[in-house]
């Protein structure tokens, strides 16, 4: 294989904490390997539409502790067609890019596999997704920070619900992301600690959800206590295979990729409980806050994203292609991890779900083993850079911005 001269880097799919750390590590490591670096905006869309810029060491200064991705991200239907990928390849050639680093989830890596096989391009992937649903890696960069946010928010919701004295009994239902895999939802269980009793119930999409059984369980719990907090995955389904969110009004909405929009599960259940049991209910959908809450980033997560980014360039320089750099857990206590290179063709097409043995028998809570798996990943903190009382973000046009001085470039 010819020696790489220019490497392109892109972030794709849903935003995930740690993407900036990975971009920085990729760029700096590539420069130290004497590669030129090109930043590709908005994932595969930027490749198809030729939004590609030179990247220098200073372009990735000051970004590790910031949320979002300076390259922005997107979902691109055109890249899923042979014509779209041909355009992407032509643009790569225009910029002399001879290898790609892609940072994203399952879809991003599937696209990379397809692209690499059609055009014989060295591609190395970084599994950056809060969903944590990729095979081959102990966990995905992005997941630890999202889990930390979910556990923290659950604690806050419980404290709020317990602290306020309502006249009526009170049921709170929190909806967490996860279409088919309940990693994020299960993380709510980490809130159970010395100072918090944790949620009463946790429902993952791995176990069929019995709507009538849920109402009955709430009814029985309300006989013993006044305040209940339940956490549900957005993707919980009935035994017949229907998403609970499909029962809500307007549920027929699908996105450009034909996926049912996952929203409204908590709101449907809250209304149902209110009408059946006559108690006060509240639905809380964490929605995009789960992936956007950079103020709650886990240091372990962000540091691992950085390590994976560096290892990606080493792998590319050694001639690896069609691989992703994954995380191995070396030990739990003290927590230690390392990276290795994993053939993307070995990734099964289906998502990695929470093992049934990590969910209790009744299907309404996660086990200690699940919590022991997640707990090390949320440790440590990255304090955001605060300006005028608010975290400083990077949502500005990069070409007009100087990251080193953190100011707009003078015209
Ligand atoms: P997340 O887990 O955060 O959703 P993801 O990488 O799984 O991230 P997707 O939207 O599934 O997000 O995929 C990102 C992009 O990858 C898609 O918009 C599309 O451009 C590309 N992609 C996905 N699947 C394929 C495929 N089969 N062939 C070519 N490209 C694909």
């Amino acid at each position: 294989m010819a020696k790489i001269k220019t490497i392109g880097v892109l972030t794709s799919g849903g935003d995930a904490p740690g993407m900036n750390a990975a971009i920085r590590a990729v760029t700096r490591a590539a420069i130290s390997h004497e590669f030129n670096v090109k930043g590709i905006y908005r994932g595969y869309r930027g490749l198809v539409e030729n939004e590609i810029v030179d990247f220098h060491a200073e372009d990735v200064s000051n970004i590790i502790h910031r949320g979002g991705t300076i390259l922005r991200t997107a979902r691109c239907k055109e890249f899923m067609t042979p014509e779209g990928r041909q355009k992407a390849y032509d643009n790569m050639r225009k910029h002399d890019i001879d290898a790609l680093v892609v940072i994203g989830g399952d879809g991003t890596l599937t696209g990379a596999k397809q692209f690499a096989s059609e055009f014989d391009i060295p591609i190395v992937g970084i599994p950056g997704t809060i969903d944590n649903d990729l095979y081959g890696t102990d966990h995905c960069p992005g997941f630890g920070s999202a889990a930390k946010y979910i556990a923290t928010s659950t604690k806050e919701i419980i404290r709020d619900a317990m602290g306020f004295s309502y006249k009526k009994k009170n049921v709170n239902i929190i909806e967490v992301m996860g279409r088919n895999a309940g990693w994020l939802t299960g993380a709510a269980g980490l809130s159970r600690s010395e100072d918090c009793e944790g949620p009463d119930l946790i429902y993952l999409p791995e176990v069929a959800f019995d709507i009538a059984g849920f109402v009955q369980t709430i009814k029985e719990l309300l006989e013993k206590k006044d305040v209940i907090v339940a956490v549900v995955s957005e993707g919980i389904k009935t035994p017949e295979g229907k998403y609970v969110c499909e029962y809500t009004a307007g549920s027929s909405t699908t996105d450009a990729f034909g996926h049912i929009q996952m929203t409204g599960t908590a709101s449907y259940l809250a209304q149902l409980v209110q009408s059946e049991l006559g108690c006060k209910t509240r639905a809380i959908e964490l929605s995009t806050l789960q992936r956007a809450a950079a103020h709650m980033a886990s240091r372990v997560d962000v540091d691992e994203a950085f390590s994976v980014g560096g290892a990606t360039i080493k792998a590319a320089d050694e001639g690896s292609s069609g691989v992703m750099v994954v995380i191995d857990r070396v030990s739990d206590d003290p927590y230690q991890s390392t990276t290795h290179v994993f053939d993307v063709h070995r990734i099964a097409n289906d998502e990695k779900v929470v093992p049934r043995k990590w969910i209790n028998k009744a299907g309404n809570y996660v086990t200690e083993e699940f919590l022991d798996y997640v707990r090390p990943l949320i440790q440590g903190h990255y304090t955001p850079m605060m300006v005028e009382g608010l975290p400083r973000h990077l949502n500005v046009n990069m070409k007009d911005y100087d990251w080193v001085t953190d100011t707009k470039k003078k015209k």
Side-chain angles (χ1 to χ4, degrees), residues 12-15 44 74-81 85 104-112 114 128-131 133 257 259:
S12 157
D15 190 3
Y44 293 126
R75 304 194 199 274
C76 176
K77 237 179 152 181
E78 205 178 347
F79 188 76
M80 297 172 87
T81 65
R85 290 192 293 275
D106 178 43
T108 302
L109 295 164
T110 306
Q114 182 70 28
T129 170
I130 63 166
D131 295 340
D133 57 355
F257 297 83
H259 300 132

Side-chain angles (χ1 to χ4, degrees), residues 22-227:
I23 293 170
R24 177 178 159 113
V26 166
T27 305
R28 292 281 169 94
I31 291 168
S32 75
H33 280 71
E34 300 185 342
F35 301 154
N36 300 315
V37 186
K38 301 275 180 178
I40 301 157
Y41 283 108
R42 299 191 296 139
Y44 293 126
R45 189 181 302 167
L47 209 51
V48 172
E49 296 179 6
N50 196 20
E51 280 190 85
I52 301 171
V53 296
D54 289 333
F55 244 30
H56 306 287
E58 62 272 21
D59 292 325
V60 292
S61 292
N62 229 346
I63 64 169
I64 286 189
H65 50 306
R66 312 276 190 98
T69 147
I70 58 167
L71 287 173
R72 306 203 173 173
T73 179
R75 304 194 199 274
C76 176
K77 237 179 152 181
E78 205 178 347
F79 188 76
M80 297 172 87
T81 65
E83 299 75 30
R85 290 192 293 275
Q86 182 65 53
K87 276 195 206 166
Y89 180 71
D90 294 343
N91 287 327
M92 274 183 69
R93 300 270 34 102
K94 269 187 215 156
H95 291 269
D96 295 323
I97 297 172
D98 36 34
L100 265 187
V101 172
V102 300
I103 306 168
D106 178 43
T108 302
L109 295 164
T110 306
K113 250 194 292 189
Q114 182 70 28
F115 196 39
S117 67
E118 284 169 356
F119 294 99
D120 193 24
I121 306 154
I123 304 187
V124 182
I126 295 180
T129 170
I130 63 166
D131 295 340
N132 200 39
D133 57 355
L134 283 169
Y135 281 98
T137 186
D138 179 79
H139 55 277
C140 299
F143 170 64
S145 295
K148 188 180 177 95
Y149 174 79
I150 290 161
T152 305
S153 300
T154 304
K155 274 188 97 163
E156 290 168 345
I157 290 163
I158 293 170
R159 192 198 59 216
D160 178 90
M162 298 291 210
F164 197 89
S165 179
Y166 294 99
K167 277 200 182 133
K168 276 188 174 178
K169 298 215 175 205
N170 174 10
V171 177
N172 300 269
I173 304 174
I174 307 173
E175 178 177 330
V176 177
M177 280 181 176
R179 185 180 289 268
N180 297 311
W183 299 105
L184 291 168
T185 308
L190 289 169
S191 62
R192 187 181 266 186
S193 47
E194 270 175 17
D195 58 339
C196 175
E197 66 179 55
D200 299 282
L201 301 160
I202 302 179
Y203 293 95
L204 275 50
E206 283 79 356
V207 177
F209 185 82
D210 172 7
I211 296 178
F214 170 73
V215 177
Q216 182 58 28
T217 305
I218 297 279
K219 189 171 176 220
E220 286 164 18
L221 274 172
L222 283 175
E223 281 160 19
K224 295 183 220 144
K225 52 195 300 212
D226 292 339
V227 177

